[in-house]
Amino acid sequence: MHDDGYFDERVAARYDESAAEMFDSAIVDPVVDFLVEIAGNGRALELGIGTGRIALPLAQRGVPVHGIELSKAMAATLRAKPGGEDIGVTIGDFSRASVDGTFSVAYLVFNTIMNLTTQAAQVACFRNVATHLEPGGCFVIEVGVPELQRLPPGETIRTFDVSESRWGLDEYDVARQGLTSHHFEIVDGRLERFSVPFRYAWPAELDLMAELAGMRLRGRWSGWQREPFTSDSRKHVSVWEKPAI
Ligand SMILES: C[S@@+](CC[C@H](N)C(=O)[O-])C[C@H]1O[C@@H](n2cnc3c(N)ncnc32)[C@H](O)[C@@H]1O
């Protein structure tokens, strides 16, 4: 694997275009509203800041944002955008990297907790976040609920995207709680493939990771506008709190 992980220069160059629907203000604004409220007068730490989809509009709303990012190529794309120079980025692994100062909120959106492919790394991430939060600070995660209920018995593949030029398949490996997302896209007349391994986790496992890190659940919703989380929810937005001293 490349030093930049799975988000190398080729992926970084096309990231905003290939995830265009996630940059729509109808998607971004509720995330930013939620984080502005929870950040209060403090600073925000984004784990896996990418090209600044959330960090840039959050900074524009007056919240100082710092990021941790494995991929230099993704960070360079962020830096090249208007306002990107004003956002500090620490290059490193967000399960271990250390950043100066403390934060009122740390956030990890767009399923990125799953990019840590072992339980140990996910636990380390919660612990690392706890050391960066000020007392009373919050950790926010947005991640899908594992789609095992939608997988026919004995099958391992679920399709998540089908269009004229793009196909997406999730391949489950239940024994190791693993999931590989395969993206196929026709770019300039050529079929390109991008496959990323993930580790899925149920909400209750994430709660236990938070507890191991000394945090407790403050709330869980199925979306950024605090829609109720139910048995039918496809994703959750969860907030854990570091106790105030
Ligand atoms: C799906 S993108 C999300 C980017 C951005 N948060 C967004 O919402 O558009 C995942 C990002 O996390 C980064 N990433 C994945 N694993 C990481 C790790 N262990 N440490 C730091 N960054 C990581 C990737 O390089 C990539 O930029």
Side-chain angles (χ1 to χ4, degrees):
M1 206 214 315
H2 192 276
D3 279 353
D4 277 355
Y6 291 90
F7 293 76
D8 60 13
E9 273 178 22
R10 183 180 67 102
V11 175
R14 296 207 62 248
Y15 179 80
D16 289 16
E17 190 189 332
S18 59
E21 69 281 10
M22 293 299 286
F23 283 78
D24 194 295
S25 62
I27 301 279
V28 171
D29 291 355
V31 187
V32 173
D33 288 345
F34 188 101
L35 293 171
V36 165
E37 187 189 317
I38 218 158
N41 296 321
R43 302 163 69 212
L45 178 65
E46 177 163 1
L47 311 185
I49 193 168
T51 63
R53 183 178 70 88
I54 301 301
L56 283 168
L58 185 58
Q60 273 162 17
R61 294 275 297 273
V63 177
V65 184
H66 189 92
I68 302 178
E69 175 54 56
L70 198 61
S71 162
K72 292 194 187 83
M74 293 291 272
T77 307
L78 160 62
R79 228 168 271 129
K81 293 181 179 178
E85 289 285 355
D86 303 330
I87 296 182
V89 178
T90 300
I91 298 296
D93 177 343
F94 56 60
S95 67
R96 299 182 272 160
S98 172
V99 173
D100 284 343
T102 56
F103 297 84
S104 58
V105 63
Y107 63 95
L108 184 47
V109 297
F110 201 179
N111 299 321
T112 302
I113 182 68
M114 298 202 304
N115 284 66
L116 297 172
T117 53
T118 65
Q119 186 185 55
Q122 292 180 350
V123 169
C125 173
F126 274 77
R127 290 202 163 116
N128 194 28
V129 163
T131 66
H132 285 88
L133 289 178
E134 56 194 41
C138 289
F139 184 28
V140 182
I141 282 189
E142 172 194 39
V143 64
V145 174
E147 301 235 297
L148 298 190
Q149 263 192 327
R150 296 182 165 79
L151 205 57
E155 301 290 332
T156 56
I157 306 280
R158 231 189 100 65
T159 306
F160 63 84
D161 194 1
V162 178
S163 71
E164 281 294 300
S165 58
R166 213 161 74 167
W167 302 270
L169 309 172
D170 277 340
E171 183 180 6
Y172 280 84
D173 178 350
V174 176
R176 64 168 191 88
Q177 222 168 291
L179 161 66
T180 304
S181 282
H182 301 284
H183 302 255
F184 300 90
E185 187 169 5
I186 296 175
V187 180
D188 299 331
R190 285 166 48 97
L191 183 66
E192 296 211 345
R193 174 183 165 185
F194 174 51
S195 294
V196 190
F198 292 111
R199 177 181 189 271
Y200 64 82
W202 300 97
E205 189 185 6
L206 300 178
D207 290 342
L208 194 56
M209 292 181 190
E211 195 177 322
L212 290 173
M215 296 186 281
R216 59 176 169 239
L217 186 67
R218 185 199 267 194
R220 168 164 296 132
W221 299 275
S222 67
W224 293 100
Q225 283 158 324
R226 295 185 169 80
E227 300 88 339
F229 181 72
T230 70
S231 303
D232 297 324
S233 299
R234 307 284 291 268
K235 73 168 194 180
H236 60 107
V237 173
S238 295
V239 179
W240 298 272
E241 186 176 44
K242 176 169 169 171
I245 293 169

